[in-house]
């Protein structure tokens, strides 16, 4: 039997959340120490108790990454070899109305981490950042004449006219090596800021940064009380109760839904591989786009709920199409997604039913 690679000390911010707990189950018992900093925000955690899904080997520090005292206390005892930065506010729509909250958690939380490292005289060799496909905004589209362009953000006036797509164009999957980031939400802007801030700090200190730009994550373990947790969970709970799922625009909004186990295994692969360049960027998704109408139909049929209704409503700042190419990630990381959306959604339904 081949021995598994040993890990040194790993510090995970936001590590008691959805992704952090799943990652701990894959990797925490292989580290010399697995330290988690998490404030256990009530929007995500129904109680302030240690999450049951957090691996027993994880050392939980309940604290806010925006608090310098938390960093001083942790770094007086911990010298991390790897920092996995998950801590963030993640509500895309919420960020347009609570911009300060998102900027404080995502931007100030990141700078406080780096300042704390500076005060402690520490330079971790490797940072792994949980970024988002939201940094791309609408990304690139291709006209019928073959030209590729960046259309930018859809306007309120377009929404009012029901012009959901850009004329005579089809969307292209995002790809870190090609697609220029142009976020259309405050959340996306703060995630891109995280990338730039850590990249600048790491470059000045000869550290390395791996950025994982995640698509729409779902699966067992996600918060069922957070209204911004994701539409897969929200649709599922509504259909379980016999409700009618309401679908925005014309139902053909596209997302790449990626199962939590595949996300955790991508982080595991990035951590075990170590840095491959001063800054590496990878798209992490299923590599397959699914329309919201397709998703809603499958969930409604699973529960025998009424057929979804397309209501023509919209959200300002929403992206029309979001899916990615994972070819570069497959080539560079010892990773590939194992869960398709049909199997993953079924597993989520079973888990939610068990929680109830």
């Amino acid at each position: 039997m081949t021995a598994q690679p040993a890990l040194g000390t790993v510090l995970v911010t936001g590590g008691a959340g959805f992704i952090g707990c799943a990652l701990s189950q894959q990797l925490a018992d292989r580290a010399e120490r697995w330290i988690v900093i998490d404030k256990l925000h009530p929007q995500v955690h129904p109680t302030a108790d240690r999450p049951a899904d957090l691996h027993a080997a994880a050392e939980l520090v309940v604290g806010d990454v925006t608090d310098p005292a938390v960093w001083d206390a942790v770094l007086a005892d911990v010298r991390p070899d790897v920092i996995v930065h998950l801590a963030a506010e993640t509500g895309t729509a919420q960020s347009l109305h609570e911009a300060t909250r998102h900027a404080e958690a995502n931007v100030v939380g990141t700078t406080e981490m780096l300042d704390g490292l500076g005060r402690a005289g520490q330079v971790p060799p490797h940072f792994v950042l949980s970024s988002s496909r939201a940094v791309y905004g609408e990304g690139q589209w291709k006209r019928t004449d073959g030209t590729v362009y960046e259309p930018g953000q859809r306007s309120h006036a377009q929404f009012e006219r029901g012009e959901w797509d850009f004329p005579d164009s089809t969307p292209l999957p995002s790809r870190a090596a090609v697609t220029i980031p142009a976020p259309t939400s405050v959340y996306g802007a703060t995630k891109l800021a995280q990338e730039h801030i850590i990249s600048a700090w790491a470059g000045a200190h000869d550290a390395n940064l791996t950025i994982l730009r995640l698509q729409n994550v779902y699966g067992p373990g996600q918060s069922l009380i957070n209204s911004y947790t994701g539409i897969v969970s929200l649709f599922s709970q509504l259909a379980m109760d016999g409700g009618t799922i309401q679908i925005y625009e014309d139902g053909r909004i596209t997302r790449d839904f990626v199962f939590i186990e595949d996300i955790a295994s991508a982080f595991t692969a990035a951590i075990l591989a170590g840095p491959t360049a001063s800054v590496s960027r990878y798209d992490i998704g299923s590599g397959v786009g699914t329309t919201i109408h397709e998703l809603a139909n499958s969930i409604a049929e699973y529960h025998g709920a009424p057929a979804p209704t397309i209501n023509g409503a919209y959200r300002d700042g929403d992206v029309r199409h979001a899916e990615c190419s994972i070819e570069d990630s497959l080539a560079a990381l010892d990773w590939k997604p194992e869960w398709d959306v049909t199997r993953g959604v079924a597993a989520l339904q079973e888990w939610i039913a068990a929680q109830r």
Side-chain angles (χ1 to χ4, degrees):
M1 183 175 179
T2 304
Q4 294 181 325
L7 288 175
T9 296
V10 181
L11 190 156
V12 188
T13 71
F18 180 31
I19 296 174
C21 285
L23 178 58
S24 77
Q25 293 297 331
Q26 291 195 8
L27 213 53
D29 60 353
R30 295 168 62 179
E32 291 178 18
R33 295 182 71 184
W34 187 273
I35 315 296
V36 167
I37 303 175
D38 199 299
K39 68 178 181 180
L40 302 180
H41 196 292
Q43 182 170 305
V44 177
H45 300 272
T47 72
D49 297 329
R50 179 188 175 100
D53 291 336
L54 183 61
H55 195 283
E59 303 173 40
L60 175 61
V61 176
V62 179
D64 192 330
V65 292
T66 66
D67 184 354
V70 169
W71 285 107
D72 289 343
V74 170
L75 295 175
D77 174 59
V78 177
R79 192 171 191 90
D81 299 293
V82 181
I83 292 184
V84 182
H85 193 33
L86 302 176
E89 293 284 358
T90 59
T92 303
Q94 184 182 26
S95 71
L96 292 175
H97 306 288
E98 298 186 43
T100 300
R101 172 178 169 180
H102 282 71
E104 184 168 5
N106 300 356
V107 179
V108 177
T110 300
T111 56
E112 289 290 3
M113 172 181 69
L114 300 176
D115 287 348
L117 289 166
R119 289 191 300 273
Q122 295 193 35
V123 179
H126 192 196
F127 291 88
V128 180
L129 172 64
S130 175
S131 189
S132 169
R133 69 84 33 221
V135 303
Y136 294 121
E138 282 292 350
Q140 294 180 321
W141 288 56
K142 188 175 184 178
R143 295 188 179 94
T144 51
D145 65 5
T147 58
V148 175
Y149 72 111
E150 291 81 27
Q153 188 166 353
R154 294 183 295 170
S155 68
H156 183 84
Q158 281 179 274
F159 287 137
E160 284 292 298
R161 294 192 298 267
E163 296 175 1
W164 310 124
D165 284 303
F166 295 98
D168 302 315
S169 304
T170 54
L172 299 177
S174 57
R175 184 179 172 191
V178 175
T179 311
I180 299 171
T184 60
S185 67
V186 173
Y187 165 66
T190 62
K191 296 304 288 184
L192 186 57
Q194 284 185 324
E195 293 189 16
H196 290 322
I197 290 166
I198 300 178
S199 176
W201 192 95
H205 292 83
D206 294 328
N208 299 281
L209 170 62
T210 301
I211 297 168
L212 303 185
R213 291 174 174 167
L214 311 183
Q215 296 287 316
N216 285 54
V217 188
Y218 74 99
Q222 68 186 122
S223 174
L224 299 180
I225 63 170
N226 183 2
S227 59
Y228 298 96
T229 193
I231 60 171
V232 188
S233 172
L234 298 178
F235 284 2
S236 300
Q237 294 181 82
L238 182 61
M240 282 183 180
D241 293 333
T244 302
I245 299 171
Q246 299 292 318
I247 305 175
Y248 283 11
E249 300 186 17
D250 60 354
R252 292 198 288 270
I253 299 171
T254 304
R255 296 292 183 265
D256 182 334
F257 296 102
V258 55
F259 196 68
I260 181 60
E261 293 298 322
D262 289 332
I263 290 292
S265 64
F267 276 95
T268 294
I271 294 167
L272 293 180
T276 56
S278 56
V279 180
S280 303
R281 299 175 180 86
Y282 301 113
D283 295 296
I284 305 298
S286 70
V288 178
T290 301
T291 69
I292 302 303
H293 197 199
E294 291 169 337
L295 173 75
N297 269 330
S298 67
I299 292 173
E301 289 174 1
Y302 186 97
H303 295 288
T309 297
I310 298 173
N311 60 22
Y314 60 85
R315 296 189 309 181
D316 286 321
D318 217 356
V319 171
R320 176 65 167 170
H321 291 286
E323 60 181 288
C324 71
S325 167
I326 59 173
E327 291 182 9
D328 295 341
S329 303
L330 295 175
L333 298 172
D334 183 18
W335 168 83
K336 66 176 181 177
E338 302 288 348
W339 291 74
D340 63 35
V341 71
T342 300
R343 179 180 169 219
V345 166
L348 177 61
Q349 308 314 301
E350 295 171 4
W351 179 78
I352 294 176
Q355 302 312 299
R356 290 184 161 197

